[in-house]
Structure formats: structure tokens, C-alpha cells
């Protein structure tokens, strides 16, 4: 659903301009410094990139799902770090509050997240709760007008720089699975919260990921997300159903960029007296990449439109995330191959960075194997 086609085309043009003129020239610097320059972060704030999916009533752009994924296809064609810097605010870091927050919670947090004044993140994964997201060990016990949180979250994107955390914790001792899991909005300033230094990672330099620790962390009762205990896992699932479509788009943009780089290289690189692109085995790789990108984009847009129509997209979101992230990995591998030796040498080409950066897509927000199980479970349930 595109609400105003003329406005939206202008909006996409501004995103393309930011990507090509501001972000792409700084990609090597971000890789070297392992951070996005604050001046560019401020430009992203000024351009409204932090508030894409936050309703207009709270200062965001209020993009529909279709508008969001089309914008994501553009933004993700520059270094992953730029998208990740705003991504938790436009996705998992704010969506829980948008979906289930009380009016007071929305009024307090969403304008700060939409403006980029605050950076948000979603803290669900734990040392023993990754693919088994319901295995939450972090506890929350009520004492008067506060909850006391104890536990640890790990592999949390933007945790080292976040100002506010959406956190799952078990409020009913002795329960298992989703039962008894609640969600909380925790400010960095609340006593008992701390974060680790950024992890050293395979790729995605400039996108800090770390652990979050809760040691007798005091969280006001008013920060129980939605004001109801035991609804935390449902809130997370609402967040992820939308975000998985979003992430599928964020995995397709890099595939488009890598293919463009490979085409440019193979057209200019000559072997045996002619451009490498003239050889049929290279053309086969180009054809496979372009076909799979088209398939992913088509899936994502259809799922986004279904969600905008109010349809249940649990199955479609999972299929999009699974196909698009695996597709991106295949495209990355082919593009390194098309670069030949230069594709392996960081001094000669940036394609090796992209190869490392996109590997994470198949792991977070549900591994490919978890999505295979989810897809099969839904298909078999429908057959019954």
C-alpha cells in the first residue's frame, strides 16, 4: 500500500541520494574506524531515517509495510552499518512499543526513537535462549512499585550504544515456554543495567553488538510493556513478523549492490582479449543472481501488501526471511567468484567485506533452519 505515489517517489529519491552521495563514499572509513561518523548519524536524524515505521502521531513517517520494504531496498545498498544504525529504531527496537505499548509509553518513548535522539534495541537472546526464544532465564520479580530484573542478554544489536531496551523476562517463577514471559521497557539510566564492550565480529564493522546485564535492575511498574504480565512473547512475535519482512528487504538490497559491483568488474576486466562478462559461465552466474533477486523482491512485496491488508503473514514472513537471506548468501558467493582473486583481497575490492557482512543475515531473527521448521509446521497445520 503506497499512500501517495508522488510523495513516495520523492521520498525514495532522497534515500537514493543519501546512499550514493553521503554513505557510499564513507564505507571504507566506517570499516576502518568500526563506527559510523556522528556527523552522518546526525544527517540520518535530520532526514528522518530513524522514524520510518513509527506512526506520524509520534513524529515518525508512519510508512506502510510496502513503503518500508521499498525504502529498505534502497538504504541497504550501502554498507550494512548505516542501515543497522537506524534499523533498531525503525524495526525491532520500537515495534514492540508501537504494537502493544500503553498510551503513556508511546507518548514518552516513540518521539525520542523517531527523532533518533534515543537509540533503541530489542534484548531477547540469552546464552540459553536463542533459537529457543521462549527459554527465558532473565527474571523479573515485583517489589512494590518496581520490578527487579536479573539476568543476561547476548548478541544484541546496538546494545553498547542504546538508550532504551525492550527486554523479555520471566515474571512467573517455575513457568516454562512462553507462559510467564513479560516485556519491559528499560532505560539505560535505570540502576542495575550495564552493557558490554562491542564484540569482535566476522563482519558488519561499524554496527556495535554486545551483551546486556541486569543485576537487581530496578524498573518502574509503569515500564511493563502494555501494562500486562505474561504477554511478552506475543509482543516479540508481533515485532518479528513485521521485522522479518523488513529484514528480507534489507538482505535483498545488498544482493543488488553486490551484483552491480560484479557486473561493473566483469565488464571492465579483460582476459584472453575480451571482457570477462562475455564468457558464458560468468553470464550464467549473473543470470542466477538477477533471477533470485527478482524472486526475493517479488515475495517481499507480496507479503508486505498482504500485511497492509490486515492478513495473517506468519508463514509468508518466515518464507521471505528464509529465502531472501539464503539468496543473499548465494549472490555474495557468486560475486566473489566473478571478481576472481581480487574478490578475496581487501586491498583490491570491497566485495570481500560484503561477503562477510551478509553472512549474519542467515543467523539473526531466526536461523534459516528455524525458519524451515516454522514454514513446515505452518504448512502441515494448514493441511490438517
Amino acid at each position: 500500500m503506497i499512500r501517495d505515489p508522488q510523495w513516495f517517489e520523492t521520498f525514495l529519491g532522497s534515500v537514493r541520494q543519501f546512499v550514493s552521495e553521503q554513505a557510499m563514499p564513507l564505507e571504507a572509513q566506517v570499516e576502518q574506524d568500526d563506527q559510523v561518523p556522528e556527523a552522518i548519524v546526525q544527517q540520518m536524524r535530520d532526514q528522518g531515517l530513524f522514524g520510518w515505521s513509527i506512526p506520524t502521531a509520534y513524529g515518525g513517517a508512519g510508512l506502510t509495510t510496502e513503503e518500508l520494504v521499498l525504502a529498505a531496498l534502497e538504504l541497504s545498498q550501502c554498507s550494512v552499518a548505516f542501515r543497522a544504525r537506524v534499523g533498531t529504531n525503525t524495526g525491532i527496537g520500537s515495534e514492540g512499543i508501537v504494537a502493544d505499548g500503553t498510551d503513556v509509553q508511546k507518548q514518552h518513548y516513540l518521539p525520542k526513537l523517531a527523532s533518533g535522539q534515543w537509540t533503541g534495541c530489542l534484548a531477547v537472546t540469552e546464552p540459553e535462549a536463542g533459537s529457543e526464544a521462549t527459554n527465558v532465564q532473565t527474571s523479573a520479580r515485583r517489589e512494590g512499585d518496581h520490578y527487579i530484573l536479573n539476568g543476561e542478554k547476548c548478541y544484541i544489536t546496538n546494545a553498547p550504544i542504546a538508550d532504551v531496551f525492550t527486554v523479555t523476562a520471566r515474571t512467573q517463577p517455575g513457568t516454562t515456554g512462553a507462559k510467564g514471559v513479560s516485556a519491559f521497557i528499560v532505560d539505560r539510566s535505570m540502576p542495575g543495567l550495564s552493557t558490554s564492550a562491542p564484540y569482535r565480529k566476522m563482519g558488519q564493522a561499524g554496527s556495535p553488538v554486545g551483551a546486556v546485564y541486569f543485576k537487581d535492575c530496578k524498573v518502574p511498574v509503569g515500564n511493563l510493556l502494555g501494562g500486562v504480565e505474561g504477554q511478552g512473547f506475543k509482543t516479540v512475535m508481533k515485532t518479528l513478523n513485521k521485522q522479518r519482512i523488513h529484514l528480507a528487504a534489507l538482505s535483498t538490497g545488498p544482493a543488488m549492490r553486490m551484483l552491480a559491483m560484479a557486473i561493473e568488474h566483469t565488464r571492465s576486466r579483460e582476459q584472453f582479449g575480451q571482457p570477462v562478462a562475455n564468457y558464458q559461465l560468468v553470464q550464467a552466474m549473473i543470470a542466477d543472481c538477477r533471477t533470485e533477486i527478482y524472486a526475493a523482491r517479488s515475495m517481499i512485496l507480496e507479503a508486505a501488501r498482504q500485511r497492509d491488508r490486515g492478513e495473517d503473514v506468519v508463514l509468508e514472513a518466515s518464507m521471505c526471511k528464509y529465502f531472501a537471506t539464503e539468496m543473499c548468501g548465494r549472490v555474495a558467493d557468486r560475486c566473489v567468484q566473478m571478481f576472481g582473486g581480487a574478490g578475496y583481497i581487501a586491498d583490491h575490492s570491497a566485495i570481500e567485506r560484503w561477503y562477510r557482512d551478509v553472512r549474519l543475515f542467515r543467523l539473526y531473527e531466526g536461523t534459516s533452519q528455524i525458519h524451515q521448521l516454522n514454514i513446515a509446521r505452518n504448512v502441515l497445520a494448514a493441511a490438517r
Side-chain angles (χ1 to χ4, degrees):
M1 182 172 67
I2 297 176
R3 299 161 296 169
D4 182 342
Q6 185 175 358
W7 169 84
F8 188 65
E9 188 53 43
T10 301
F11 167 79
L12 283 186
S14 69
V15 177
R16 293 188 194 105
Q17 186 175 13
F18 169 80
V19 167
S20 63
E21 296 181 8
Q22 303 297 325
M24 285 183 179
L26 290 175
E27 288 175 336
Q29 179 185 335
V30 169
E31 168 80 4
Q32 180 178 337
D33 297 345
D34 197 15
Q35 65 178 359
V36 179
E38 179 56 33
I40 293 296
V41 175
Q42 187 57 51
Q43 287 186 38
M44 291 192 284
R45 292 189 186 107
D46 295 341
Q47 198 162 329
L49 270 61
F50 283 87
W52 279 357
S53 60
I54 295 174
T56 55
Y58 305 104
L63 298 185
T64 66
T65 315
E66 182 176 359
E67 291 169 345
L68 178 64
V69 298
L70 287 169
L73 287 168
E74 299 294 338
L75 181 59
S76 58
Q77 291 184 54
C78 60
S79 174
V80 176
F82 296 99
R83 184 275 302 171
R85 184 64 182 84
V86 303
T88 48
N89 283 35
T90 61
I92 56 176
S94 67
E95 190 61 31
I97 303 173
V98 172
D100 285 342
T102 65
D103 289 340
V104 172
Q105 290 167 350
K106 290 177 180 179
Q107 291 286 352
H108 180 70
Y109 287 102
L110 293 181
K112 295 180 177 67
L113 292 169
S115 68
Q117 177 185 346
W118 280 5
T119 296
C121 69
L122 177 66
V124 173
T125 303
E126 299 182 1
E128 302 300 327
S131 295
E132 188 185 1
T134 57
N135 191 30
V136 175
Q137 303 298 309
T138 297
S139 64
R141 71 179 189 276
R142 183 164 179 175
E143 292 188 358
D145 57 357
H146 285 82
Y147 285 90
I148 307 301
L149 271 62
N150 282 284
E152 175 186 350
K153 303 292 183 177
C154 57
Y155 312 137
I156 308 302
T157 300
N158 282 338
I161 60 172
D163 302 284
V164 60
F165 305 76
T166 300
V167 180
T168 52
R170 194 168 294 280
T171 46
Q172 296 180 33
T175 57
T176 59
K179 183 179 179 181
V181 175
S182 303
F184 296 87
I185 308 169
V186 185
D187 296 11
R188 179 175 286 277
S189 61
M190 292 176 181
L193 180 147
S194 61
T195 55
S196 71
Y199 297 140
R200 294 174 59 234
K201 310 188 302 298
M202 176 190 293
Q204 299 207 6
S207 172
V209 178
V212 188
Y213 307 108
F214 305 94
K215 186 175 182 180
D216 294 330
C217 179
K218 293 185 66 175
V219 179
V221 168
N223 281 53
L224 173 66
L225 184 52
V228 180
E229 288 190 4
Q231 300 299 306
F233 191 70
K234 291 182 179 178
T235 295
V236 169
M237 288 300 100
K238 289 179 187 178
T239 298
L240 291 179
N241 280 335
K242 178 180 178 181
Q243 179 59 14
R244 283 166 175 168
I245 302 174
H246 185 199
L247 180 58
L250 294 170
S251 303
T252 303
M256 296 164 65
R257 171 74 183 282
M258 289 186 289
L259 179 57
M261 293 168 64
I263 289 172
E264 180 181 6
H265 176 80
T266 57
R267 291 182 65 203
S268 61
R269 169 75 165 161
E270 290 196 0
Q271 290 288 277
F272 303 101
Q274 60 179 311
V276 172
N278 286 0
Y279 292 100
Q280 290 179 332
L281 291 178
V282 173
Q283 291 176 358
M285 289 190 284
I286 292 172
D288 287 346
C289 289
R290 187 65 186 86
T291 300
E292 289 199 84
I293 289 169
Y294 180 77
R297 187 178 186 276
S298 299
M299 286 177 66
I300 293 162
L301 286 172
E302 175 58 24
R305 290 164 184 158
Q306 287 180 256
R307 187 180 186 278
D308 285 339
R309 291 194 297 266
E311 299 175 20
D312 183 354
V313 293
V314 171
L315 173 61
E316 288 77 9
S318 200
M319 291 192 296
C320 285
K321 197 278 180 183
Y322 171 54
F323 182 81
T325 57
E326 289 287 335
M327 173 277 296
C328 188
R330 291 190 292 269
V331 168
D333 189 74
R334 294 187 197 111
C335 289
V336 169
Q337 195 73 10
M338 284 188 269
F339 269 84
Y344 195 76
I345 306 300
D347 292 334
H348 292 171
S349 171
I351 198 68
E352 65 83 31
R353 167 171 55 79
W354 282 96
Y355 183 87
R356 290 182 289 107
D357 285 353
V358 304
R359 184 60 182 84
L360 183 58
F361 295 159
R362 294 154 59 193
L363 298 174
Y364 59 16
E365 296 185 29
T367 65
S368 292
Q369 288 66 42
I370 287 294
H371 283 286
Q372 286 177 305
L373 296 176
N374 287 343
I375 293 163
R377 188 180 300 116
N378 279 278
V379 170
L380 290 172
R384 288 194 295 270

